[in-house]
Amino acid sequence: MGEFKVHRVRFFDYMPSGIRALAFNGDTERMAVARMDGSVEIFHCSDRFFQEKIIPGREQCGIEGLSWVGERLFSAGLNGGITEYDLTNQKVKYTIDAYKIPWYTFLILCFYHLNLDRQKSRIVSLSWHTSGSKIAAGMMDMIQIFNVETGHSIHRMLADRGVGTSRSKECVVWSVVYLSDGTIVSGDSVGMVKLWDDQTGTLIKSHNVTKCDVLALSVSQNEDSLVAGTSEGTVVQFQFVSMVLGKDDKEWVRTRTFKNHTHDIRAVAEITTAVVSGGMDAQLVVKPLLDKIEVRSAASALRKIHFPHRRLVFCARNSGLMLFQYPGHLELWRLGESEGKGIPGSSLFVKRNPEKLLHLKVKGEDHIRCSAVSPCGEWIVYSTASSLRLYRLHCDNNNVSITKISKLPKVLSSANQLCFSSDSSHLFSASTQSSVHIVSLSQSGCKFVGTLKPKSGSHQAIHLLAASEDGEWLASANSDHEVHIYNLQTRKAHCTVPVYSSAVTAMGIHPTTNCLFMMYADQQMCEYSIEQKQYTDWSRTVQRKGLHRLWMERDTPCLNVMFNPQNPSHVILHDTYMLCIIDQSLPLPDDKTQFYNQLTLKSLTEDQRKSHSHAFKVCKTFKDILCVELISDQSLVVVERPLEDVATQLPAPIKQKKFAT
Amino acid sequence: MATLYEGYTLCGVGPVQNSSNIGILGVEQGGDIDHVLVTDTSRSITVYKVSDQKPTGSWSVKQGQIISCPAVFNTQSQEYVVVTDDRVVRVWKEDDVNLEKAFKATVSADVLKVLSATDSEPVVLFCCGAVRFLDSLLASPQQPMEDVLTEDEIIRWSTIVKAEHQLVILFSTEQRGEHCLYVQRFNPNTLVKHRFETEPGLSAPISFSATCRGSNIHLLYLYLNGSVYESVLPFRSSSTGAEGVQALSRSLCLSLPLGEEKLMSGAAVVLDEAHVAVVGFPHPSAGACKDYLCIWNTHFQTLQASKEMAGRIYSQLWCYSGKLYVPHGKMLSVIPFDCQKSSLAAAMGKQKQTSQSGKDFSNIKSALTVDQLIQHIKTSAVEDVQAEVGEFIRRTPQADLQLAAGRVALELVSRSQTDANFYPQCAFLLLLETRYLCYSVCPELLSLAMVKKDFHLCQIAFQIFSDIPEAVTCACLKTILSTPDLEMETVNLDMDSVIFMKELTQAHSRSDEEGGQLNGFCHPALESDVSDTPSNKLQRDPFALDMSCPVGLHKGALLNEVLQTAYSDRSLLPHLKDLTVPQVIVFLQYLRFLYLKYSHDAHKQIRALRTPSISQIIDWVCLLLDAHFTVLAVAPEAKRLVFDLHKFVRSQVKLYAELGKIEGSLQVLKSSKQSEDFGMYAIQVIELF
């Protein structure tokens, strides 16, 4: 079908940040994840764990705890600050410096001015009783129960130190959970999970879970299951079950152990059907509890989320430039050049190595929310929560210089998403209330042109923008799954794509047919004709026949949709593990067809291939893909971030003695 | 059968400097099979791309310097190595322009030759007999060399043999008329000295050629009297050099015919285990002119192919990757050749049997000489002849019997043909049992047996003869098929083959019975696509297929022998057309029966010495269908048969198609083991299908 020259790039040093806290909202099925760099992400648990929203962090902003109150999300930081988030516009709403003392919190339900007895010891963890009248606090070597109204300590329960040499070390109660029946569960640095009675202040049961620390505890909503995360990377589950069948005499019993992490687990949460854990190895692991799953499906598979579901790499198609978005800076690289030709599977001689042209540090403390480079490579733009900056790039042979465009129109104060028109003459900036501002770019600077507003619908922030090749159309997708299409000539809303139950993860407008091709988090795909305002025949065929089982079972979303100008029937997609070219002229595979058939086709003759070919041409040569882009010389840029490389840059995990070592 | 193809000139060679050797010092294998390295005495070394007949690189030494030995290519380091002025080792790469600027090292003793084998470090052989690996020599060039040979012992020839990653250096020396062979092995280093046997009238060996086969080195050497001897040396020696000089055991494998003229030189090179190329010896039927390149079969002592070489032939001959390099006149010619595995029938072809006189069969030391026996055969009664032949076979030494058996058989056959009452079956069987007969020796024997309907003899002959011409095979097949089963069953046949047939047919009935007992259990369909066929007709349980043997046991046993004969498709096909339609159908039915049996693994439980293989069965089915395609297509009685065969073919094709699909995946599994690490950036080419 075709050969492609591929620039295989592995020098994007993207490091995912460690996970610090998790909070699950059972009503909305959303999981909030706080990372070490202060960013907060919202995952939609029932939509294949799609990362719906990202609120970027900022320097020196450590989050220690995260909590939902209804649909409001709060976090508490090391500096004692409490922050509420604006989830619609994906930014920090406000921060209150509640106490000027460092306060380690685990769970916040609401705020009281507590005047607890003066504590000599540091409070490491806290948990409220559902009644709101009592608080359990994990401290050094002990757990205290306070009466909220009086502020007095009701009970002091001493946690045992370890035996032997660790006897001299304090026992840190890293985590406490106050159950509604009055049981207090604690996890400590000695590796014990202990159950206490708050009435008598006595130990009910103690489980030795690990030789290291028990760092995190979480109880399920109906309080019949408890998970503990350890610094070895294991998650241990306890269940509240009756010891004798049919009797009501229930006890907490250690049931399962999972090991899916290499480093400390800093946060665990039990959701409806799975245990979610995160820690220093920066991956979010969703381990389904198979006893709670009725049908085996893609949803019942172990899921590890390593990379954000947003693009961090942007290519200037026409000039061979790549923009890498790091939290605190941008890097601009020029691709290398090859010499000669090679057979498929071979590497070409690299005549010129890739070159780093620019290292652009962000002004201020906020991390970058979005960025873009224009197709011509002349413009670079980025936005943080508080500011937006536009730069013009001058490249004369080896001299690279940039000028910041000053006097930006006021509407460009901040953006949720940024996108250039294909001729680089306009910048589209997604703003509040799902609106998009248009700015024209010229030598002299930039000028506000107008604002595109949806006719109706939600005000959720836009996370995807796609402009058509001919400059006629712009499509925007927001986190309420709405896709609006605007006519750029009239600057009016043209139509809205029927809302689908799953989030749009990537979209693109076909350069010749002007059809909008959308990929959804549940791995469905749709092609919508903008001019006819309806799904195309091909799209309807796909919906009718259904996609292949193996396609649906992939567990990472497609993050880019591209088109091959030389072959209009080709749509190029990628997820973290594969690159796929959909040839719309070929028959769709049914479930009996061999789906991953590239190896088979390779071994067949030209004639036989025709009868075995189907529309999905999946290339599995690459893995840990962050970005694939087709640039104007028909070559592909594949940016990989091998997980092994990420692992080598993580801090060393706790040393464990293995047998015979 | 060996063939010499049209040759071409690789290069011209310089002026003749002395009488025996022309301007070429040596031809060595280059970097790949298409490149050779030609070193000439006029100071230059040239690399040729053989298929293009073009030089791809050339280097020469300065005036006054002399190239001492042929340059070699070190495949490990991709470098060329040559020695100049006896002591200067020069090493250079393909893209070095000037030899003077290349690396050189002066060593402490005179180098005889640099020997290089593919994928191993070259070895330097010094005139004193010392041996060093090139890398260790270059690491300290001035290291002292021990004297292995005595002072007046001169190395005449040397070579390197490589097998199983083991190198062996062979060199022969001459010292005051005594010739010795040294075998130098490495790891551990051992040097073993052998003495060449000398006989009066046999001077020194003039040409050597060593090859490695199995775990032995086969050294072939040629004497001026035309004798080619072979000595077999073990690759790994258990003995050490301390045991003293051993005489080299040898066997004569070829006697080249000599012409009138006294020969001065010649060369021989081994092509494969049965063929040797010779230059400098006269063609047996072309008179005195000795400018011939000949390929001889050493098994059958026959001339296989020859080519006249224009101009003088020198005693030089090299062979690399299917091509012979022969300097003659003022050029170096490349002559591609091909040696196929020979049967005697093929081997007999080229030589005019002029010298097949009693001279060859002279040394018969038995009570009755072969000549006497032949005289007796001409006149005696059958019983007497049979007794005498038995006696003769018992008393004659094996080596002589080999030569005599054919003559005796010929004589017996010719008497039988003329005298209708004379048919010494026992004598024939005895002669066959000696295994010294083959079809070519006595072509009439098989047809005689057919005429006499002696199927037992036929069967034995089929088992023993490997060179039955296809025409004869077909004639026998025709006879077998046309003989009624009743008549056939009375014939006494080889028990083993009959038992095989018995078991095969019984295996069928047994499995049928079991099938019946299984409580209404119906075998799953043999093929998955039964549902494809129209349901109203032709839908038969595959087990209801005709699984009974269409021919009698004895006929089946004989047909099995036919299936196992050697043949070539193209020669067999025209003769197969002689079969009549009923014969073809019966034979095909029988083949289908065998195929069915085989696909049910019935034959695996049967212990028999000789059974046709499934591929032999399928090949015969194909041949028969090819030969009688149109007839079978129209014959109504063949319809069902052809339909069944078609089904088998379809299932086979399906199977292989599925296997083919796996192939790619397996290949990737294999290559994925060597997964590449390209660092941070690479530009690669991918292909999507």
Side-chain angles (χ1 to χ4, degrees):
Chain A
M1 187 190 79
E3 273 183 32
F4 288 94
K5 195 166 89 173
V6 179
H7 295 265
R8 239 177 136 168
V9 173
R10 286 189 174 175
F11 48 79
F12 180 28
D13 275 335
Y14 168 73
M15 270 308 286
S17 182
I19 292 171
R20 187 63 194 87
L22 294 173
F24 175 60
N25 187 334
D27 301 333
T28 57
E29 290 275 321
R30 298 301 201 274
M31 176 65 78
V33 176
R35 293 189 183 263
M36 308 297 272
D37 66 357
S39 62
V40 172
E41 296 157 5
I42 309 293
F43 289 85
H44 191 163
C45 304
S46 51
D47 190 16
R48 303 259 188 138
F49 266 81
F50 181 64
Q51 189 184 33
E52 271 185 338
K53 296 174 184 181
I54 302 175
I55 300 162
R58 49 186 315 199
E59 297 297 313
Q60 311 295 325
C61 153
I63 295 176
E64 292 290 309
L66 208 53
S67 179
W68 291 94
V69 179
E71 292 200 6
R72 296 165 73 188
L73 182 68
F74 296 89
S75 76
L78 254 184
N79 53 7
I82 305 283
T83 305
E84 187 183 353
Y85 295 94
D86 173 358
L87 294 177
T88 307
N89 291 308
Q90 298 177 24
K91 60 181 191 182
V92 171
K93 208 173 201 170
Y94 56 84
T95 299
I96 309 165
D97 287 341
Y99 301 100
K100 291 288 180 193
I101 49 163
W103 215 49
Y104 296 78
T105 61
F106 179 73
L107 193 83
I108 311 153
L109 283 176
C110 46
F111 298 105
Y112 286 91
H113 271 280
L114 292 180
N115 198 1
L116 305 177
D117 288 350
R118 242 178 95 88
Q119 293 307 312
K120 284 180 193 145
S121 175
R122 213 156 48 121
I123 293 177
V124 180
S125 50
L126 272 181
S127 180
W128 286 85
H129 188 253
T130 35
S131 65
S133 61
K134 282 180 276 188
I135 275 184
M139 304 162 87
M140 295 299 161
D141 285 335
M142 64 175 170
I143 298 156
Q144 288 205 40
I145 305 172
F146 295 101
N147 183 324
V148 176
E149 274 142 42
T150 62
H152 293 306
S153 167
I154 306 169
H155 283 295
R156 258 167 60 116
M157 299 170 290
L158 292 182
D160 287 336
R161 291 187 178 187
V163 286
T165 48
S166 54
R167 181 121 209 116
S168 55
K169 274 194 239 158
E170 284 182 314
C171 171
V172 187
V173 179
W174 286 118
S175 175
V176 283
V177 170
Y178 208 149
L179 302 181
S180 52
D181 66 356
T183 308
I184 293 167
V185 188
S186 70
D188 59 33
S189 62
V190 185
M192 306 296 267
V193 170
K194 289 181 173 170
L195 299 150
W196 312 84
D197 185 344
D198 70 337
Q199 293 297 317
T200 57
T202 52
L203 183 68
I204 304 169
K205 184 133 196 193
S206 128
H207 296 268
N208 193 353
V209 168
T210 169
K211 287 191 175 120
C212 317
D213 302 28
V214 176
L215 293 173
L217 286 174
S218 168
V219 71
S220 65
Q221 276 188 313
N222 51 3
E223 296 195 349
D224 64 351
S225 165
L226 183 80
V227 281
T230 73
S231 57
E232 294 171 319
T234 52
V235 172
V236 181
Q237 191 191 12
F238 296 88
Q239 279 172 298
F240 198 52
V241 287
S242 46
M243 298 306 286
V244 184
L245 200 71
K247 286 205 177 169
D248 229 15
D249 219 13
K250 286 191 174 179
E251 238 179 275
W252 285 100
V253 181
R254 179 176 168 169
T255 50
R256 277 176 276 213
T257 305
F258 313 119
K259 172 122 173 72
N260 294 306
H261 290 271
T262 54
H263 290 67
D264 292 9
I265 292 181
R266 300 298 289 270
V268 284
E270 199 176 329
I271 63 169
T272 330
T273 57
V275 173
V276 183
S277 55
M280 296 304 286
D281 58 3
Q283 53 178 345
L284 188 70
V285 176
V286 183
K287 171 71 197 174
L289 295 170
L290 294 176
D291 52 339
K292 295 191 178 165
I293 291 163
E294 277 161 19
V295 201
R296 240 201 114 235
S297 68
S300 65
L302 176 75
R303 190 184 289 272
K304 287 187 176 187
I305 300 167
H306 299 282
F307 298 133
H309 294 162
R310 296 274 174 94
R311 296 183 60 192
L312 296 175
V313 180
F314 307 89
C315 289
R317 262 180 299 154
N318 304 332
S319 55
L321 299 180
M322 277 181 302
L323 185 72
F324 295 156
Q325 178 186 321
Y326 292 87
H329 70 272
L330 293 171
E331 279 182 10
L332 189 72
W333 288 74
R334 182 188 283 138
L335 286 167
E337 276 176 33
S338 63
E339 198 171 68
K341 292 199 163 173
I343 52 154
S346 66
S347 288
L348 300 177
F349 173 71
V350 178
K351 189 170 70 180
R352 189 164 57 78
N353 274 319
E355 189 184 359
K356 183 170 166 180
L357 301 178
L358 200 64
H359 184 101
L360 194 62
K361 283 200 81 169
V362 172
K363 289 268 187 249
E365 290 188 325
D366 287 331
H367 286 163
I368 299 174
R369 176 189 277 171
C370 56
S371 59
V373 60
S374 65
C376 65
E378 249 183 79
W379 302 91
I380 294 175
V381 64
Y382 77 83
S383 172
T384 65
S386 54
S387 69
L388 183 145
R389 275 162 211 263
L390 177 65
Y391 296 91
R392 190 139 185 247
L393 191 73
H394 310 274
C395 270
D396 318 320
N397 297 324
N398 292 323
N399 284 330
V400 179
S401 60
I402 55 166
T403 39
K404 186 184 163 224
I405 309 296
S406 50
K407 291 183 193 155
L408 291 180
K410 269 198 182 140
V411 293
L412 288 191
S413 62
S414 171
N416 283 320
Q417 187 55 266
L418 291 158
C419 168
F420 287 93
S421 65
S422 68
D423 60 355
S424 306
S425 65
H426 289 82
L427 171 66
F428 307 108
S429 159
S431 182
T432 50
Q433 308 215 316
S434 287
S435 64
V436 180
H437 301 299
I438 311 172
V439 175
S440 74
L441 306 168
S442 64
Q443 298 284 339
S444 51
C446 68
K447 214 173 86 192
F448 176 69
V449 177
T451 301
L452 305 170
K453 281 186 183 144
K455 278 182 188 148
S456 58
S458 81
H459 295 151
Q460 288 284 351
I462 288 170
H463 69 281
L464 286 172
L465 285 173
S468 72
E469 195 68 27
D470 57 8
E472 287 271 340
W473 310 102
L474 180 76
S476 74
N478 69 18
S479 34
D480 265 349
H481 309 175
E482 292 175 343
V483 178
H484 298 290
I485 298 166
Y486 301 97
N487 185 330
L488 291 175
Q489 302 297 315
T490 61
R491 291 185 216 126
K492 289 268 165 28
H494 175 70
C495 63
T496 303
V497 179
V499 174
Y500 181 65
S501 60
S502 184
V504 182
T505 64
M507 61 183 186
I509 300 176
H510 196 286
T512 51
T513 63
N514 270 343
C515 290
L516 179 67
F517 199 97
M518 288 158 291
M519 291 304 305
Y520 294 98
D522 64 357
Q523 310 297 0
Q524 287 291 350
M525 57 183 75
C526 282
E527 194 187 34
Y528 186 82
S529 167
I530 294 175
E531 278 146 25
Q532 293 168 15
K533 299 189 185 177
Q534 61 178 20
Y535 288 117
T536 62
D537 291 342
W538 186 83
S539 185
R540 288 175 204 277
T541 313
V542 170
Q543 294 311 316
R544 197 175 61 247
K545 292 190 77 174
L547 289 158
H548 195 279
R549 182 176 51 83
L550 291 173
W551 175 266
M552 298 302 286
E553 281 178 4
R554 293 174 309 112
D555 73 343
T556 52
C558 285
L559 289 187
N560 199 4
V561 175
M562 295 150 275
F563 303 95
N564 185 350
Q566 292 195 347
N567 197 334
S569 66
H570 287 181
V571 182
I572 308 172
L573 306 169
H574 83 88
D575 69 11
T576 309
Y577 302 105
M578 60 105 209
L579 160 71
C580 174
I581 298 184
I582 296 178
D583 189 336
Q584 293 179 307
S585 65
L586 287 179
L588 291 165
D590 57 25
D591 270 353
K592 283 186 209 133
T593 319
Q594 183 192 13
F595 185 68
Y596 297 116
N597 64 350
Q598 286 296 308
L599 293 175
T600 305
L601 293 180
K602 190 177 179 180
S603 61
L604 295 178
T605 63
E606 198 77 43
D607 294 336
Q608 290 171 316
R609 269 178 208 156
K610 277 185 194 134
S611 61
H612 283 80
S613 289
H614 61 70
F616 288 73
K617 295 163 183 322
V618 181
C619 169
K620 291 239 180 194
T621 311
F622 315 106
K623 55 174 192 174
D624 308 328
I625 304 171
L626 283 176
C627 167
V628 174
E629 188 87 70
L630 185 71
I631 57 175
S632 55
D633 68 345
Q634 283 293 300
S635 55
L636 288 165
V637 178
V638 176
V639 180
E640 291 171 292
R641 178 63 177 154
L643 290 178
E644 306 91 74
D645 294 1
V646 173
T648 55
Q649 291 182 30
L650 290 171
I654 286 185
K655 269 243 158 81
Q656 279 188 48
K657 194 162 170 61
K658 295 236 171 79
F659 291 110
T661 53
Chain B
M1 198 62 217
T3 323
L4 283 168
Y5 297 107
E6 199 54 50
Y8 47 86
T9 304
L10 187 64
C11 60
V13 285
V16 179
Q17 291 186 332
N18 58 44
S19 59
S20 66
N21 283 346
I22 48 156
I24 291 188
L25 258 183
V27 178
E28 293 283 344
Q29 180 86 59
D32 60 71
I33 59 162
D34 202 25
H35 284 84
V36 292
L37 200 53
V38 178
T39 310
D40 68 17
T41 40
S42 64
R43 308 199 318 270
S44 76
I45 299 149
T46 315
V47 178
Y48 287 94
K49 185 165 166 57
V50 180
S51 56
D52 292 355
Q53 306 176 47
K54 279 205 181 97
T56 58
S58 182
W59 301 269
S60 45
V61 295
K62 274 204 301 201
Q63 188 104 35
Q65 292 175 342
I66 299 159
I67 297 178
S68 318
C69 72
V72 295
F73 185 70
N74 180 353
T75 48
Q76 285 202 312
S77 61
Q78 299 285 309
E79 285 170 334
Y80 298 97
V81 185
V82 77
V83 176
T84 58
D85 296 327
D86 291 331
R87 291 195 176 194
V88 185
V89 180
R90 292 172 191 265
V91 179
W92 75 99
K93 293 244 184 214
E94 180 84 55
D95 41 13
D96 289 350
V97 179
N98 194 341
L99 206 52
E100 274 310 302
K101 289 179 183 162
F103 171 84
K104 62 181 171 187
T106 307
V107 295
S108 62
D110 285 359
V111 174
L112 183 86
K113 213 172 169 189
V114 183
L115 301 160
S116 172
T118 319
D119 294 330
S120 43
E121 186 62 28
V123 177
V124 181
L125 175 64
F126 290 87
C127 293
C128 57
V131 166
R132 293 285 185 278
F133 278 107
L134 182 66
D135 52 0
S136 70
L137 178 67
L138 293 182
S140 107
Q142 284 298 320
Q143 58 185 277
M145 290 301 148
E146 68 279 8
D147 279 328
V148 176
L149 307 177
T150 49
E151 207 176 289
D152 52 355
E153 199 171 0
I154 303 156
I155 299 177
R156 287 294 182 201
W157 167 84
S158 62
T159 194
I160 187 165
V161 183
K162 184 189 181 195
E164 303 162 4
H165 308 291
Q166 174 87 24
L167 289 177
V168 173
I169 306 281
L170 303 171
F171 55 94
S172 75
T173 62
E174 182 180 358
Q175 183 186 24
R176 282 184 242 109
E178 188 176 284
H179 295 270
C180 291
L181 178 76
Y182 288 81
V183 183
Q184 167 82 54
R185 295 177 177 86
F186 300 93
N187 290 332
N189 274 13
T190 56
L191 183 68
V192 181
K193 184 178 179 182
H194 299 278
R195 200 180 59 245
F196 283 112
E197 270 179 358
T198 47
E199 292 171 23
L202 210 58
S203 57
I206 53 167
S207 178
F208 295 84
S209 179
T211 50
C212 178
R213 289 204 290 276
S215 55
N216 292 318
I217 300 168
H218 291 247
L219 179 67
L220 202 82
Y221 42 101
L222 170 69
Y223 287 85
L224 264 184
N225 69 354
S227 306
V228 179
Y229 285 97
E230 188 182 44
S231 294
V232 181
L233 301 156
F235 214 95
R236 295 175 197 283
S237 166
S238 50
S239 65
T240 56
E243 289 168 24
V245 182
Q246 300 155 339
L248 195 61
S249 64
R250 61 178 191 182
S251 58
L252 180 64
C253 62
L254 189 63
S255 267
L256 295 172
L258 296 172
E260 259 56 31
E261 262 181 292
K262 177 131 177 66
L263 292 174
M264 296 303 292
S265 64
V269 62
V270 177
L271 306 181
D272 66 14
E273 55 191 357
H275 294 92
V276 57
V278 179
V279 290
F281 279 79
H283 189 284
S285 50
C289 175
K290 59 178 185 237
D291 295 338
Y292 268 91
L293 167 67
C294 298
I295 296 183
W296 289 82
N297 184 311
T298 52
H299 285 175
F300 302 121
Q301 333 247 317
T302 50
L303 179 63
Q304 296 282 292
S306 65
K307 194 176 214 49
E308 190 173 357
M309 307 305 292
R312 264 193 76 182
I313 282 198
Y314 307 87
S315 54
Q316 285 181 312
L317 181 61
W318 294 273
C319 170
Y320 295 113
S321 33
K323 297 185 183 72
L324 286 162
Y325 296 82
V326 190
H328 63 103
K330 288 186 173 173
M331 60 186 103
L332 173 66
S333 282
V334 181
I335 298 153
F337 67 91
D338 187 16
C339 292
Q340 289 148 0
K341 207 167 166 78
S342 332
S343 63
L344 184 57
M348 295 296 278
K350 285 271 167 155
Q351 190 181 23
K352 285 177 191 154
Q353 300 188 355
T354 49
S355 63
Q356 211 187 31
S357 61
K359 177 183 150 195
D360 288 343
F361 313 117
S362 52
N363 289 337
I364 297 170
K365 302 164 192 135
S366 68
L368 209 59
T369 66
V370 68
D371 294 318
Q372 286 166 333
L373 179 64
I374 285 167
Q375 286 309 313
H376 285 225
I377 290 170
K378 282 183 180 152
T379 52
S380 300
V382 178
E383 293 76 21
D384 296 345
V385 168
Q386 296 199 145
E388 278 177 15
V389 170
E391 187 69 15
F392 176 77
I393 290 170
R394 263 197 307 284
R395 312 258 318 244
T396 312
Q398 293 293 306
D400 299 329
L401 190 59
Q402 182 169 9
L403 302 169
R407 274 188 79 196
V408 174
L410 271 176
E411 200 55 51
L412 287 171
V413 169
S414 80
R415 166 106 192 259
S416 305
Q417 282 171 328
T418 50
D419 181 354
N421 295 323
F422 183 88
Y423 185 70
Q425 195 210 20
C426 293
F428 285 130
L429 288 174
L430 284 172
L431 281 170
L432 280 175
E433 273 164 22
T434 63
R435 304 229 164 209
Y436 289 130
L437 284 189
C438 61
Y439 179 84
S440 339
V441 167
C442 185
E444 300 296 312
L445 178 59
L446 202 56
S447 22
L448 176 73
M450 277 295 150
V451 171
K452 299 276 181 191
K453 297 246 169 167
D454 183 356
F455 291 112
H456 187 207
L457 188 66
C458 273
Q459 189 185 23
I460 305 297
F462 269 119
Q463 289 176 0
I464 288 171
F465 293 175
S466 58
D467 55 343
I468 303 171
E470 286 79 356
V472 179
T473 309
C474 261
C476 292
L477 179 64
K478 205 173 156 126
T479 315
I480 293 166
L481 286 170
S482 58
T483 310
D485 270 326
L486 266 178
E487 186 183 327
M488 201 71 104
E489 296 307 311
T490 59
V491 178
N492 181 25
L493 284 184
D494 178 26
M495 280 312 289
D496 187 54
S497 62
V498 178
I499 289 168
F500 172 72
M501 281 306 295
K502 228 177 229 163
E503 295 266 335
L504 201 62
T505 43
Q506 274 169 5
H508 138 248
S509 52
R510 196 163 51 232
S511 75
D512 253 13
E513 280 160 27
E514 283 167 13
Q517 285 163 359
L518 279 174
N519 198 15
F521 168 75
C522 181
H523 279 275
L526 181 65
E527 291 173 279
S528 60
D529 59 353
V530 168
S531 56
D532 299 354
T533 56
S535 54
N536 51 352
K537 54 174 183 177
L538 290 173
Q539 183 156 11
R540 294 177 277 133
D541 177 19
F543 270 74
L545 282 174
D546 190 10
M547 287 280 275
S548 59
C549 185
V551 295
L553 294 185
H554 284 212
K555 196 183 265 188
L558 283 171
L559 288 175
N560 288 352
E561 302 296 349
V562 173
L563 294 183
Q564 293 169 71
T565 53
Y567 64 89
S568 94
D569 301 6
R570 210 181 292 168
S571 325
L572 187 62
L573 209 54
H575 299 296
L576 274 180
K577 289 189 205 274
D578 296 343
L579 296 178
T580 64
V581 178
Q583 284 170 345
V584 170
I585 290 175
V586 168
F587 194 26
L588 270 178
Q589 276 169 343
Y590 177 65
L591 289 169
R592 183 193 59 172
F593 162 77
L594 278 183
Y595 177 87
L596 273 177
K597 285 292 174 189
Y598 272 54
S599 47
H600 287 132
D601 280 344
H603 67 297
K604 282 196 180 155
Q605 297 131 20
I606 306 169
R607 283 198 208 132
L609 291 173
R610 283 167 51 89
T611 57
S613 71
I614 190 138
S615 61
Q616 279 168 335
I617 295 167
I618 290 170
D619 286 347
W620 272 91
V621 171
C622 296
L623 281 169
L624 274 175
L625 289 175
D626 278 347
H628 293 275
F629 181 73
T630 41
V631 181
L632 288 171
V634 294
E637 63 268 37
K639 196 169 176 183
R640 180 161 164 172
L641 181 70
V642 174
F643 177 76
D644 281 347
L645 290 171
H646 175 230
K647 250 165 76 176
F648 301 144
V649 172
R650 215 165 33 168
S651 67
Q652 291 275 323
V653 167
K654 220 169 174 178
L655 172 71
Y656 285 107
E658 293 301 316
L659 286 175
K661 283 184 191 169
I662 305 173
E663 191 191 7
S665 316
L666 291 178
Q667 263 172 3
V668 168
L669 274 181
K670 199 172 144 197
S671 62
S672 69
K673 291 242 166 93
Q674 318 133 8
S675 79
E676 85 292 40
D677 181 36
F678 56 83
M680 302 304 262
Y681 182 72
I683 303 177
Q684 297 180 338
V685 182
I686 60 164
E687 190 176 17
L688 287 167
F689 298 98

